[in-house]
Amino acid sequence: MALMLIKFDMKKRVKLAQTVWFMYWFAVMAGVLVFSMGLFFKIELRKRSELMDNNESHFLPNLLILMGLVACGINAFGGKVCYDSLDPSKFVKWKPMLKCFLMVCVGFNALLLVTALLCFLMRIPLQFTLAEGLKNGMKYYKDTDTPGRCYMKRTLDLMQIEFRCCGNDNFRDWFEIQWVSNRYLDFSAKEVKDRIGSNVDGQYLMDGVPFSCCNPSSPRPCIQLQMTNNSAYYSYDHYTEELNVWKRGCRDSMLSYYGGLMNTIGLLVVLVTMLEVAVTIGLQYIDSSLSTLVNPEDPESESEGWILEKTVKETFTDIMDKMKSMGKGSKVDEGGEAAVATVS
């Protein structure tokens, strides 16, 4: 017995074709939207690609761009088929390829769903990519005279200002690296010698952060140097004082931004997938209803349409039987070739 069997007359078939045609062109616009979101996401990632440890993060936006383009092509073709279904003489030319097209649509819908899942799951690898990328970027902050790294200071400063964050996990990350270039250090000064000699790596470490960590909303002038030295400032205790630098780490801030963006895109792709499934079902009804006309010579005669010609169980059994027969056929061919080779 067919799955979700519906009886059609001429009026219902025309209304179905018009509705599915409209939905297909709406799906074309949805494909353009998926393409646009993928392009926007790619641009946002490229803006801060220096702060990411690898290029694998660009796989998802590239996939979204590809899926958007494919959606536009598939839906434009489906819309043309629906339009021609109103005229039996025009629909005849599409009939032989319609089964294959519907199978392509089913596969495409599955890929869309996988793309949506990747949008929700990409937050996990992105977290590690940002952590390692920010860690390396902070090491290169001071290398303003080194070719290939001279941009890192500007990139990090703009990022900390834009995302209102400081350091990788928090502002104390800056205490563990030398972020002031040797070019601006007076090595004859006792303080500089003491600081460099106080650690095994010979780095100039200090309890301070770059200016971009300062919170402009704080009523007190920014305390970005000697942050743990209570005697350096009047009425200041770094244990109890509300520090006027951003306390949130940049990894958390950027992950929140990109995670929210990916969740939004993922939800959008899920909605597009639902629309694609709807138009695929609609086209299947059009195809089956035109194939079962009581009188093929009379376009106004009644017909039946369905999603599957048999039940889900029967359809699955038929597919498995076909796959088994194909496997047996390939084994027979291999056996025949082996026998011919033996005789030779």
Side-chain angles (χ1 to χ4, degrees):
M1 183 178 177
L3 179 65
M4 297 186 70
L5 182 69
I6 299 177
K7 293 186 178 296
F8 289 91
D9 54 21
M10 181 64 177
K11 186 177 179 180
K12 283 185 177 181
R13 285 196 298 271
V14 170
K15 187 174 182 180
L16 174 65
Q18 291 174 339
T19 303
V20 178
W21 176 83
F22 174 77
M23 291 174 65
Y24 259 121
W25 288 108
F26 188 73
V28 170
M29 292 186 286
V32 173
L33 183 60
V34 172
F35 171 82
S36 302
M37 292 300 289
L39 192 61
F40 173 74
F41 190 24
K42 187 175 181 67
I43 292 172
E44 285 298 297
L45 287 175
R46 287 185 67 87
K47 282 181 182 178
R48 303 168 188 93
S49 57
E50 302 92 348
L51 302 175
M52 297 184 184
D53 189 43
N54 55 56
N55 294 322
E56 294 176 4
S57 54
H58 290 275
F59 169 76
L60 182 58
N62 290 339
L63 180 61
L64 287 167
I65 291 171
L66 176 62
M67 297 301 283
L69 290 174
V70 174
C72 291
I74 287 179
N75 293 319
F77 181 81
K80 174 63 175 173
V81 172
C82 288
Y83 182 80
D84 287 347
S85 68
L86 298 172
D87 186 347
S89 62
K90 291 182 179 180
F91 185 72
V92 172
K93 64 181 178 182
W94 302 119
K95 187 65 180 174
M97 65 181 75
L98 208 51
K99 294 294 183 184
C100 292
F101 177 69
L102 286 168
M103 290 178 65
V104 170
C105 290
V106 171
F108 177 70
N109 294 342
L111 284 176
L112 268 179
L113 186 59
V114 171
T115 303
L117 290 175
L118 287 175
C119 288
F120 295 120
L121 295 175
M122 191 185 167
R123 184 185 181 95
I124 299 172
L126 185 61
Q127 180 176 358
F128 296 103
T129 296
L130 285 172
E132 195 62 27
L134 285 168
K135 182 180 178 181
N136 292 332
M138 290 171 65
K139 289 180 182 178
Y140 303 144
Y141 182 88
K142 67 181 187 303
D143 298 339
T144 52
D145 297 327
T146 305
R149 299 178 184 174
C150 55
Y151 57 83
M152 189 56 71
K153 178 182 181 299
R154 179 178 181 274
T155 300
L156 277 168
D157 282 333
L158 290 176
M159 181 265 296
Q160 291 190 143
I161 292 172
E162 179 180 356
F163 287 92
R164 299 184 175 187
C165 59
C166 186
N168 193 339
D169 294 318
N170 55 62
F171 67 92
R172 292 183 178 275
D173 293 332
W174 289 107
F175 297 178
E176 301 171 4
I177 63 170
Q178 179 180 335
W179 54 271
V180 177
S181 173
N182 289 339
R183 179 182 179 183
Y184 304 108
L185 296 176
D186 180 7
F187 287 92
S188 62
K190 183 179 183 302
E191 180 188 357
V192 173
K193 290 180 180 180
D194 291 342
R195 286 187 179 277
I196 293 177
S198 63
N199 65 90
V200 294
D201 295 326
Q203 293 184 333
Y204 182 75
L205 304 181
M206 58 181 178
D207 53 345
V209 297
F211 77 97
S212 53
C213 285
C214 293
N215 180 357
S217 301
S218 174
R220 182 169 188 160
C222 186
I223 297 176
Q224 65 177 104
L225 302 176
Q226 300 187 61
M227 296 176 65
T228 59
N229 185 1
N230 293 335
S231 61
Y233 304 97
Y234 174 74
S235 185
Y236 174 73
D237 184 351
H238 75 278
Y239 288 110
T240 59
E241 186 80 9
E242 184 69 23
L243 297 177
N244 49 12
V245 297
W246 302 115
K247 299 179 184 61
R248 190 180 189 185
C250 292
R251 178 179 60 175
D252 186 43
S253 295
M254 293 180 70
L255 191 63
S256 177
Y257 171 71
Y258 285 117
L261 186 59
M262 288 185 292
N263 288 341
T264 301
I265 295 175
L267 180 60
L268 169 67
V269 176
V270 169
L271 294 176
V272 173
T273 303
M274 294 170 64
L275 177 61
E276 293 289 346
V277 170
V279 294
T280 301
I281 292 173
L283 186 58
Q284 169 61 16
Y285 271 118
I286 291 174
D287 179 35
S288 56
S289 64
L290 290 175
S291 301
T292 58
L293 290 171
V294 174
N295 182 7
E297 302 298 328
D298 181 16
E300 295 187 5
S301 61
E302 293 186 349
S303 62
E304 294 179 342
W306 53 72
I307 295 179
L308 293 175
E309 191 172 357
K310 300 178 180 180
T311 62
V312 176
K313 183 179 179 180
E314 291 172 341
T315 303
F316 180 76
T317 303
D318 288 346
I319 294 173
M320 294 302 295
D321 290 341
K322 288 180 181 179
M323 292 177 65
K324 288 178 181 178
S325 62
M326 289 175 62
K328 290 179 180 179
S330 63
K331 287 181 180 179
V332 170
D333 292 340
E334 290 175 0
E337 291 176 0
V340 171
T342 302
V343 171
S344 300

